[in-house]
Amino acid sequence: MVIQMKPDATQEQIDHVVKRVEKAGLKTRLNVGEELTVIAVIGDKTKLGDISIGSMTGVEHTMPISAPYKLASRQFHEEPTIVEANGTKIGGKKIVVMAGPCAVENTEQIINIARIVAKSGATFIRGGAFKPRTGPYSFHGYGEPALKMLAEAKKETGLGIITEVMTPCEVDLVAEYTDIFQLGTRNMQNFYLLREVGKSGKPVVLKRGFSSTIEEWLLAAEYILAEGNPNVILCERGIRTFETHTRNTLDLNAVPAIKELSHLPILVDPSHGTGIRSLVAPMSKAGIAAGADGLLLEVHNDPDNSITGDGVQSLFPYQFDKLMRDLKSLVGAIGREI
Ligand code: PEP
Ligand code: MN
């Protein structure tokens, strides 16, 4: 349920409603907008018994939130959420591009690619230090030394860092280096990890599970929000379908659907969404045209020698630069900037 306060409700009246609800054993989250204050009530509302919140002083009306996710829903938060990381706003007018290799391979590589993507207009360097791999014998990332390499790249270029965290016990370590946690497709429903990044308060890019529905995805986001971390960014990275030509099926329906259902920003990752280099630029443009707030892209200076198998979906620097230039002309048509 959400409680909408009257536009002229006083702080005292708001506090009084919050206290009353919490006294009944429920949790609250406050959304103070420019014009309206909305209080979300989290938990079993039968606990309120006969208390009529709707008739308390300062309350405009109460509304049930029909979706199972509450804090992630548009009903709770009408305005789009803007998440800020390393001085960049994600979810506003400006399209944000995060680019880099699948994995951090060495200091020279990551600084080199960071310089390349920064020059073309990216504002974050991506690169895995902890890599989730399907097989146990594959390369799993260099761990903390790779985080230090990302920090070097940030120092050299000023780019923000986005990198994956895979386990709750590594959240504090990764937080020392990164500006944004990446939660990978395989971990979308790792509820302990969701709670832990929720407690950290740092921005999180939550990738869609490759077999998850939009509702399950928003419920995963709800775990992070419910811990008091409002800085959640969703990322559509493709789902598993019967199609085998592409690595995944990039579900661009999800972009406008998320915009209707939720206030959270959404990125598109056409690298993992297609798995095929030649499809990455067209699907990047399609993602932005569909309303995405940004892109997460794999770019490698020497994709044939990439340490993970993701070289086949990584753009060459010249292709990334061309895509960024093409996006410049596209975004004007949809009222955005890059
Ligand atoms: C990645 O971004 O390199 C990655 C492993 O992504 P996903 O979790 O979407 O497979
Ligand atoms: Mn990858």
Side-chain angles (χ1 to χ4, degrees):
M1 176 175 82
V2 288
I3 305 166
Q4 191 177 311
M5 301 302 292
K6 289 188 171 145
D8 59 355
T10 62
Q11 190 57 49
E12 218 181 348
Q13 288 165 346
I14 297 170
D15 293 346
H16 186 60
V17 173
V18 167
K19 257 198 208 132
R20 194 74 194 85
V21 172
E22 290 187 348
K23 205 172 152 205
L26 292 153
K27 280 190 180 159
T28 59
R29 283 278 184 279
L30 216 57
N31 171 25
V32 185
E34 268 181 30
E35 286 168 22
L36 290 177
T37 294
V38 172
I39 304 165
V41 178
I42 306 159
D44 174 10
K45 69 176 196 297
T46 58
K47 285 189 181 163
L48 286 171
D50 291 337
I51 306 165
S52 170
I53 299 289
S55 42
M56 289 179 76
T57 330
V59 174
E60 181 96 314
H61 58 249
T62 62
M63 249 185 330
I65 298 185
S66 42
Y69 45 87
K70 312 291 175 195
L71 304 173
S73 84
R74 271 264 176 203
Q75 269 175 296
F76 169 59
H77 199 291
E78 236 176 89
E79 292 300 307
T81 285
I82 296 180
V83 174
E84 198 164 333
N86 194 46
T88 296
K89 290 191 166 83
I90 304 144
K93 196 168 180 187
K94 220 171 148 97
I95 301 295
V96 174
V97 178
M98 309 180 182
C102 183
V104 178
E105 297 173 15
N106 55 63
T107 310
E108 197 192 343
Q109 173 238 23
I110 198 70
I111 292 180
N112 188 5
I113 299 179
R115 284 197 180 121
I116 288 168
V117 299
K119 202 162 160 230
S120 300
T123 45
F124 288 88
I125 176 78
R126 61 143 293 151
F130 298 97
K131 293 300 303 174
R133 302 303 299 278
T134 303
Y137 310 122
S138 307
F139 171 69
H140 284 85
Y142 288 123
E144 189 171 6
L147 294 173
K148 291 190 196 299
M149 295 173 204
L150 281 166
E152 290 276 322
K154 178 177 179 176
K155 208 166 87 190
E156 286 295 317
T157 59
L159 292 180
I161 297 173
I162 170 166
T163 197
E164 182 156 355
V165 60
M166 283 171 47
T167 66
C169 60
E170 278 156 357
V171 166
D172 287 345
L173 171 70
V174 177
E176 278 178 43
Y177 299 91
T178 202
D179 296 291
I180 305 181
F181 289 120
Q182 178 174 320
L183 257 60
T185 191
R186 297 161 183 82
N187 268 320
M188 190 206 82
Q189 285 188 314
N190 181 340
F191 302 114
Y192 296 104
L193 182 59
L194 294 170
R195 286 212 163 103
E196 213 50 39
V197 294
K199 282 181 206 142
S200 88
K202 257 200 179 191
V204 181
V205 162
L206 178 65
K207 287 193 153 197
R208 179 179 182 182
F210 55 76
S211 294
S212 296
T213 64
I214 289 173
E215 185 170 294
E216 287 163 344
W217 187 15
L218 286 170
L219 279 166
E222 188 80 10
Y223 271 86
I224 304 171
L225 298 167
E227 292 297 331
N229 184 352
N231 302 309
V232 180
I233 303 153
L234 300 166
C235 178
E236 165 59 43
R237 52 76 68 201
I239 52 174
R240 189 164 279 188
T241 67
F242 56 80
E243 182 55 71
T244 53
H245 176 68
T246 44
R247 181 175 176 181
N248 290 289
T249 295
L250 187 66
D251 178 17
L252 288 186
N253 294 348
V255 176
I258 286 290
K259 290 285 173 195
E260 280 181 13
L261 299 169
S262 178
H263 52 90
L264 297 173
I266 179 166
L267 309 178
V268 166
D269 170 355
S271 307
H272 294 86
T274 65
I276 301 174
R277 182 180 303 133
S278 61
L279 304 186
V280 171
M283 294 313 284
S284 296
K285 294 176 205 166
I288 296 304
D293 300 296
L295 297 167
L296 185 62
L297 289 168
E298 289 191 343
V299 177
H300 201 292
N301 54 337
D302 184 9
D304 290 346
N305 289 309
S306 152
I307 202 166
T308 67
D310 286 2
V312 291
Q313 66 190 33
S314 300
L315 294 178
F316 283 97
Y318 79 90
Q319 293 174 311
F320 177 67
D321 191 62
K322 164 117 180 35
L323 170 61
M324 293 297 280
R325 281 184 282 118
D326 289 351
L327 285 172
K328 275 199 180 89
S329 27
L330 175 89
V331 295
I334 51 167
R336 312 264 325 231
E337 290 167 4
I338 188 162

